[in-house]
Amino acid sequence: MLTARVIDSLASVPATAWDALHDDTNPFVAHAFLHGLEEHGCLRREWGWTPQHVTLWDGGQLVAAAPGYLKTNSHGEFVFDHAWAHAYAQYGREYFPKWLGAVPYSPVTGPRLLGAGQYRAALLEAIVANTQRQKLSSAHINFHTAAEDDAFDAAWLARADVQYHWHNRTGWTDFDGFLAALDRRRRKNIRQERAKVARAGVRFRVVHGDEASAQDLDAMHGFYLATFADYGNSPALTAGFLQHLARTMPRALVIVLAELDDAPVAGALCLRGGDTLYGRYWGAEVQMDGLHFETCYYQGIEYCLREGLRRFEPGAQGEHKIARGFLPEFVRSRHWIADPAFADPLRRWCAEETASVHRYKQLLDSRSPFAPVAPAGGVPAP
């Protein structure tokens, strides 16, 4: 007999019980990451984030969970539903609050229905029941895995988008091997970008959490703050959270520091999980041609090649990533709408959007930077 509980803090769940629900290959659903956001001031009610995790229990044993939040806006989600909120407002209805199953501020695909597959249907039923009990407009699950798609029934509307990911396609062992697979123009451009940064005297240092000094962590957090200030946004991640990651997830935290005259001038914050590197934030205190691409992309690719990782996901958006070896991939989300009067038109809207995204990806696929592969006869494919 399963019992559903909604909990407002991961402090009430032992880390070992929570982490037993996933395979430890995605750092964003780890207890240390999610609980760290709560404990170190990254989630605030006034910013629209109130923890509301849906869990399933078999007696006293936690068997399934969905990290979730009561949201009073769409900030930090990266699946944009502003048009939906506007449509509700036009008819005098309230779209917020809503329930969101996601990792805050992290447009990274990963498991969202934690636990054995046999519990997914019951977990989704508990999410819907929680949404109905609170009379919320909707429930949303963002950036779930393709393997979880079959758990959703037709009541959950499907949306799709595109991100740009790097793959070690043929077992490259170094950056030159990766460059050799690109067409001549892209290969030349990357070499020129890297050469500009090297000629400027910039050197790079990559450290894990257990290798980072207090000064390294402070520098990275300072770059993060500067980036948000440049765009007029409120930074969410605190210095305490970064220090927490270095302590509790020391080998998952990866920081790239660009140094000039032995002083850090730029940095990129990444997380590592399984066979994948995830690029999250970057910042710089100097303006320099190529510095962003070197810090955020090329150093990450070199790290993957050096460490034997197969994938690099550098963050959301950015067609410019294609020319640097990052190819388009689908990402997905699901949405349960309480009111049928809105659910039906939104279902049509989602279908049209998905068709448009598929056409867009087809166009992007035609812009691959990789040279055509020669067939067995030695003549390159057209």
Side-chain angles (χ1 to χ4, degrees), residues 33-275:
F33 187 89
L34 294 170
H35 181 48
L37 291 172
E38 296 175 7
E39 288 298 295
H40 293 280
C42 303
L43 303 177
R44 304 182 188 178
R45 190 181 301 269
E46 61 268 27
W47 288 352
W49 293 93
T50 301
Q52 202 174 91
H53 311 297
V54 178
T55 62
L56 287 182
W57 301 76
D58 185 352
Q61 181 183 1
L62 179 67
V63 296
Y69 304 86
L70 190 67
K71 290 299 295 340
T72 55
N73 56 37
S74 297
H75 173 68
E77 298 179 17
F78 297 92
V79 175
F80 303 107
D81 59 358
H82 303 95
W84 297 14
H86 180 66
Y88 270 68
Q90 280 187 311
Y91 289 91
R93 303 288 299 278
E94 294 291 339
Y95 184 65
F96 302 107
K98 63 181 183 180
W99 185 88
L100 172 68
V103 177
Y105 317 118
S106 302
V108 173
T109 293
R112 297 294 179 262
L113 306 175
L114 308 185
Q118 70 196 67
Y119 298 115
R120 288 175 181 171
L123 188 57
L124 288 171
E125 289 176 5
I127 290 170
V128 169
N130 176 58
T131 304
Q132 292 173 322
R133 182 169 57 253
Q134 297 185 84
K135 298 185 177 359
L136 306 179
S137 70
S138 50
H140 310 259
I141 296 180
N142 291 354
F143 300 103
H144 63 282
T145 65
E148 293 171 310
D149 238 354
D150 289 343
F152 297 92
D153 62 25
W156 287 83
L157 312 184
R159 295 184 68 183
D161 202 352
V162 169
Q163 288 184 355
Y164 305 89
H165 301 165
W166 179 89
H167 298 258
N168 192 335
R169 293 158 36 118
T170 57
W172 305 309
T173 58
D174 56 30
F175 203 87
D176 285 339
F178 158 62
L179 284 181
L182 299 173
D183 65 41
R184 182 176 179 276
R185 179 169 64 88
R186 270 58 171 263
R187 183 165 60 244
K188 178 181 178 181
N189 288 345
I190 290 174
R191 283 176 172 156
Q192 289 176 338
E193 287 175 343
R194 303 199 79 185
K196 288 179 183 178
V197 177
R199 284 196 302 268
V202 178
R203 298 295 180 264
F204 288 86
R205 189 161 54 89
V206 181
V207 295
H208 296 94
D210 54 355
E211 301 162 335
S213 66
Q215 292 77 18
D216 293 337
L217 296 175
D218 287 344
M220 185 63 246
H221 191 252
F223 297 138
Y224 164 76
L225 295 179
T227 296
F228 274 73
D230 288 344
Y231 287 94
N233 295 327
S234 298
L237 303 187
T238 63
F241 176 67
L242 195 55
Q243 294 160 6
H244 165 84
L245 291 183
R247 289 192 307 272
T248 61
M249 305 176 68
R251 302 306 290 179
L253 179 63
V254 181
I255 297 175
V256 177
L257 291 172
E259 298 181 333
L260 189 61
D261 298 327
D262 296 324
V265 295
L269 173 65
C270 306
L271 287 176
R272 171 180 176 166
D275 65 351

